[in-house]
Amino acid sequence: MHSHVRNPIFLGLLSAVLLDLPFPVAGPMPPWRAVFAWIALVPLVYGLLAQSSVEAPHYLRRSALAGYACGILWYMLNCYWIYDTMHIYGHVPSPGAVGILILYSLVLGLYFGLFGFLIAFTRKGFRTNTVPLVLAPFFWVATEFAASRITSVPWDQLGYSQVDNFLLTHLATVTGVYGISFVLMAGNALFAAALLTRSMHMRLRIGVGACLLAILLQLGSFIPPRPSATTAYAVMLQPNLDVGIDNIWVGPEWDENISWIMEQSQRNCTPGYAGMPTSDAALFAPPCGRNVPPPGLIAWPEAPSSFISDDPRTIAMMRSVTTTTHAPMIAGMFGHDSTGTYNSGVFTAADGNTLGRYDKIHLVPFGEFIPFRDLFFFAGKLTHQVVDLQRGSERKVFRTNGHTFGVFICYESVFADEIRQFAVNGAEVFVNISDDGWYGDTSAPWQHLNMARMRAIENRRWIVRDTNNGVTTSVDPYGRVTLSAPRHVQTSLVARYGYSNELTFYTRHGDLFAILCGIITLAAAARAASLTLRINLGTKRQVS
């Protein structure tokens, strides 16, 4: 193998390309592509620990740079949709949109750089490849955890690649998505160990073992569990409103939209896709029954509508819908009171009384607020519709008709440790209202959906997911998409769901596993530093 091919930076870039494959690229990801998660990081780990890299000058610096290059390229490939969001909907000129994507990748790529540094640092301190290979899964989880807590962008962590793996995702009920990331990185480390060992006999044994492990665990993508029981149905409205314009409904336009909402809310069956709404899927039309009970929930998504929580017209609309259908309703809208304006979900009981308002806590930077406004003055256009949004402070749940609902809004679905708190507070079903119209026809809606699906798995809860333009669906406690509405059309979806009081280990304890990996990472780094210092002192004594 030529020296430039064995260069750790080149191998890091190769890993970035491979790592993009087990995630959605343009549409829903075929389950077979998840297998790339077992080998995507092998080139990077091999490049960091190959003897030629260890013996090369500036080993630690080159290793950190190799990890950093991998991270930068991966974020640019995985989150290319940032360009479309900023340019098409944020009206940022092309050079500025490219600059934002690059800046985003430069910042988040630092976590990959930290991973590369930790691998090299422990290799230098312990003077063996075995220790960094064993520690690699701990390092990876620790850096994923740091990304979720420091920069608050836990987007497409490695474990999400296995959301369709109904065997491996059992780990999520204990460890969250981090446990799946751990196992995948362990598999990558095992493959790297096979390449790094000098004995052909050991190389074959380790390589065959790694292959068997990956194949056996990946079979979980093709062995689904039994269907989950349902006890109610939801009517989810998908208005398909244009996010690029101000939807101010006046006069006849208001009446027309309210009439559509009233009509759709009274439906008890709709056609839908059995599973993901793909171009080659056929719509399924269930028979419509008579004398069916009222729905368990009617949902209006986060959408650019004219609804405001303290507007008498909005209140009257929700009262009319709920009393007519005899069902509770959750509606996304601007929440407004004396403290400011919020991105909210207002919950109204079947008798027309407003039970309360959930105000979104985790806002989207540059979408719902501008961090460091003086520095990013050029991004003001991005928030021309949602300036000065305030953060909510309480993870409220709403109880009606004997059941408790937990509501979270859009981007909040990527924060596992926050969503579980709704279940801790008593939510028997999750309701996710979202507007993915800002993403266009990119990979982002599918990535976002998969992360929401993992929240169902971790907490063993049904998710009723209502969006402005898709993917509107119901997700069972194993993360399966059961019934979906067509995308980019004004429609509604009647889908069944169930309730659960189960509290998984992850629901009760949160990111305990990730914290443990962080502690082990710090301890390993401290020990490596101690050994390195001892080696350096011994070398100086010999020289003197």
Side-chain angles (χ1 to χ4, degrees):
M1 187 179 292
H2 297 295
S3 59
H4 69 277
V5 176
R6 299 176 67 179
N7 185 298
I9 297 176
F10 171 83
L11 292 173
L13 295 175
L14 175 59
S15 275
V17 175
L18 293 174
L19 189 58
D20 193 47
L21 296 178
F23 294 99
V25 174
M29 189 192 76
W32 66 266
R33 252 190 21 228
V35 72
F36 283 100
W38 295 98
I39 60 171
L41 291 158
V42 172
L44 174 63
V45 176
Y46 173 80
L48 296 174
L49 295 176
Q51 193 63 31
S52 57
S53 296
V54 176
E55 295 174 350
H58 312 297
Y59 173 50
L60 294 180
R61 187 190 309 169
R62 280 164 53 91
S63 298
L65 185 58
Y68 190 37
C70 176
I72 292 172
L73 180 58
W74 181 75
Y75 276 109
M76 292 187 69
L77 293 172
N78 180 263
C79 299
Y80 70 89
W81 47 265
I82 289 176
Y83 171 84
D84 285 12
T85 300
M86 297 297 173
H87 179 56
I88 297 175
Y89 302 106
H91 309 293
V92 175
S94 290
V98 171
I100 291 173
L101 174 59
I102 293 174
L103 178 61
Y104 171 89
S105 303
L106 287 172
V107 172
L108 295 182
L110 290 170
Y111 295 107
F112 281 68
L114 176 60
F115 173 78
F117 176 82
L118 288 169
I119 292 291
F121 191 58
T122 49
R123 170 61 179 85
K124 187 174 182 180
F126 289 94
R127 306 182 77 175
T128 175
N129 282 340
T130 303
V131 174
L133 286 170
V134 170
L135 289 172
F138 296 94
F139 292 164
W140 187 265
V141 170
T143 53
E144 284 191 342
F145 183 63
S148 72
R149 295 303 177 95
I150 298 173
T151 47
S152 292
V153 187
W155 192 268
D156 264 359
Q157 293 167 321
L158 184 60
Y160 288 118
S161 65
Q162 303 297 314
V163 69
D164 287 303
N165 188 328
F166 301 111
L167 174 62
L168 202 52
T169 50
H170 276 79
L171 277 174
T173 61
V174 178
T175 65
V177 69
Y178 295 107
I180 306 173
S181 295
F182 184 94
V183 172
L184 292 171
M185 177 49 74
N188 278 268
L190 203 57
F191 278 111
L195 295 176
L196 289 165
T197 187
R198 295 181 179 179
S199 167
M200 183 58 67
H201 176 68
M202 286 300 298
R203 181 175 296 181
L204 287 174
R205 291 182 63 181
I206 296 173
V208 169
C211 287
L212 289 175
L213 174 69
I215 292 171
L216 289 174
L217 291 180
Q218 199 61 56
L219 285 176
S221 297
F222 307 96
I223 309 174
R226 291 176 298 176
S228 301
T230 61
T231 55
Y233 70 93
V235 181
M236 292 172 272
L237 310 180
Q238 180 177 289
N240 196 40
L241 299 176
D242 188 346
V243 299
I245 63 174
D246 293 323
N247 288 279
I248 301 175
W249 302 339
V250 294
E253 191 175 5
W254 172 274
D255 296 335
E256 181 181 344
N257 282 288
I258 299 306
S259 176
W260 181 83
I261 291 172
M262 287 295 301
E263 176 190 354
Q264 297 298 315
S265 297
Q266 297 178 66
R267 303 185 70 178
N268 60 42
C269 69
T270 56
Y273 295 102
M276 292 285 194
T278 57
S279 58
D280 58 346
L283 277 172
F284 167 71
C288 294
R290 295 183 177 180
N291 300 320
V292 297
L297 182 72
I298 296 170
W300 171 269
E302 177 193 38
S305 70
S306 293
F307 297 146
I308 302 175
S309 65
D310 58 357
D311 182 350
R313 297 186 308 168
T314 301
I315 297 170
M317 179 276 295
M318 296 192 68
R319 182 180 295 116
S320 178
V321 170
T322 53
T323 55
T324 300
T325 60
H326 307 291
M329 181 179 188
I330 177 70
M333 65 185 71
F334 282 137
H336 184 263
D337 56 32
S338 59
T339 63
T341 302
Y342 301 82
N343 185 353
S344 304
V346 176
F347 203 99
T348 303
D351 60 5
N353 290 318
T354 300
L355 296 184
R357 191 183 81 202
Y358 169 71
D359 298 326
K360 187 177 182 181
I361 296 174
H362 221 120
L363 302 179
V364 180
F366 301 111
E368 294 168 323
F369 78 102
I370 302 177
F372 311 109
R373 184 177 293 271
D374 292 339
L375 178 62
F376 296 109
F377 62 91
F378 59 85
K381 291 182 180 179
L382 299 177
T383 54
H384 70 286
Q385 291 179 307
V386 287
V387 292
D388 299 324
L389 285 184
Q390 305 296 309
R391 298 177 185 273
S393 58
E394 181 182 355
R395 303 198 183 279
K396 294 180 181 178
V397 295
F398 304 97
R399 185 164 183 82
T400 184
N401 294 345
H403 294 291
T404 307
F405 298 79
V407 180
F408 52 94
I409 302 174
C410 196
Y411 181 62
E412 291 184 310
S413 63
V414 308
F415 297 97
D417 194 56
E418 298 178 13
I419 299 307
R420 72 174 184 88
Q421 294 174 35
F422 290 105
V424 171
N425 291 341
E428 300 167 82
V429 60
F430 290 156
V431 183
N432 179 209
I433 54 176
S434 184
D435 185 358
D436 289 354
W438 300 99
Y439 299 141
D441 281 318
T442 65
S443 62
W446 309 100
Q447 294 170 354
H448 196 196
L449 172 63
N450 284 350
M451 287 180 273
R453 293 169 61 196
M454 191 63 74
R455 305 293 84 82
I457 296 167
E458 291 163 343
N459 300 280
R460 288 294 187 242
R461 290 290 188 279
W462 279 87
I463 292 182
V464 174
R465 189 171 192 266
D466 187 25
T467 71
N468 176 33
N469 65 342
V471 178
T472 297
T473 184
S474 63
V475 179
D476 80 359
Y478 293 93
R480 284 176 295 201
V481 174
T482 61
L483 191 70
S484 301
R487 297 185 70 217
H488 303 306
V489 295
Q490 186 185 57
T491 186
S492 61
L493 179 71
V494 174
R496 297 194 62 79
Y497 68 93
Y499 302 101
S500 174
N501 291 312
E502 177 186 356
L503 293 180
T504 66
F505 184 90
Y506 182 79
T507 301
R508 293 194 303 269
H509 302 289
D511 293 332
L512 191 62
F513 176 76
I515 293 171
L516 177 62
C517 288
I519 293 172
I520 292 173
T521 294
L522 292 175
R527 178 59 176 165
S530 174
L531 292 173
T532 301
L533 180 61
R534 188 181 305 172
I535 291 169
N536 290 339
L537 289 175
T539 302
K540 288 181 180 179
R541 288 183 187 137
Q542 290 177 0
V543 172
S544 61

